[in-house]
Amino acid sequence: MPQIYFLCTGNSCRSQMAEGFARHYLGSQWRVASAGVEVHGLNPRAVAVMAEVGIDISQHHSKMIDPTYLSNSDLVVTLCGDARDRCPVTPPSVERRHWPLTDPAAATGSEEDILTVFRSVRDEIDARVQQLARENEQ
């Protein structure tokens, strides 16, 4: 069974949303996980904007990169430059992709302004994961 790993700095927003979408679109055909180079806790705004599209990530939790899972993955997707730059070395058999996404946790302004950034990043992740699922249809 193919295995995918989504990595971000704190495993609180982008990688959690990517994991949620991948579980939704790839289903039981893939092992799906996410992690961070640090642990920042699950961002409640990420949970809220995912719930808006019918995907529940409320039971997810922030985790550090598992070197064994990383080394055994078929695909590793980094969702920020920090994770790309700090990700441990992977074997040549592991495909690596980088999706440079805005950090929604760094958004400022009113609550609605911040949620707008979260929704924009969510929608970009949604489109990228759907594309990934289409590439891997049997």
Side-chain angles (χ1 to χ4, degrees):
M1 177 181 300
Q3 181 169 297
I4 189 168
Y5 214 8
F6 293 99
L7 304 178
C8 213
T9 301
N11 191 222
S12 66
C13 298
R14 293 165 285 188
S15 53
Q16 293 286 356
M17 289 190 276
E19 179 182 347
F21 281 122
R23 289 184 185 281
H24 178 75
Y25 294 121
L26 298 172
S28 61
Q29 303 305 311
W30 282 70
R31 282 188 206 95
V32 178
S34 67
V37 293
E38 302 167 5
V39 174
H40 291 178
L42 182 60
N43 188 301
R45 290 181 179 120
V47 174
V49 299
M50 290 298 286
E52 292 174 356
V53 296
I55 297 177
D56 181 8
I57 63 167
S58 65
Q59 300 306 306
H60 290 198
H61 62 278
S62 184
K63 322 167 266 315
M64 292 285 290
I65 294 171
D66 176 334
T68 302
Y69 191 94
L70 178 71
S71 295
N72 290 307
S73 292
D74 296 284
L75 175 60
V76 171
V77 179
T78 53
L79 296 110
C80 66
D82 188 42
R84 178 197 60 212
D85 296 343
R86 294 173 59 193
C87 180
V89 173
T90 54
S93 61
V94 177
E95 179 185 353
R96 290 181 66 159
R97 294 188 190 182
H98 179 62
W99 297 348
L101 300 168
T102 300
D103 182 2
T108 59
S110 69
E111 183 63 17
E112 192 53 40
D113 292 340
I114 294 168
L115 286 173
T116 296
V117 173
F118 269 83
R119 289 179 185 117
S120 174
V121 172
R122 174 203 64 201
D123 294 346
E124 185 172 350
I125 293 169
D126 184 8
R128 287 177 180 263
V129 174
Q130 283 190 58
Q131 177 60 38
L132 183 68
R134 282 190 297 275
E135 290 172 14
N136 289 284
E137 287 177 348
Q138 300 275 336

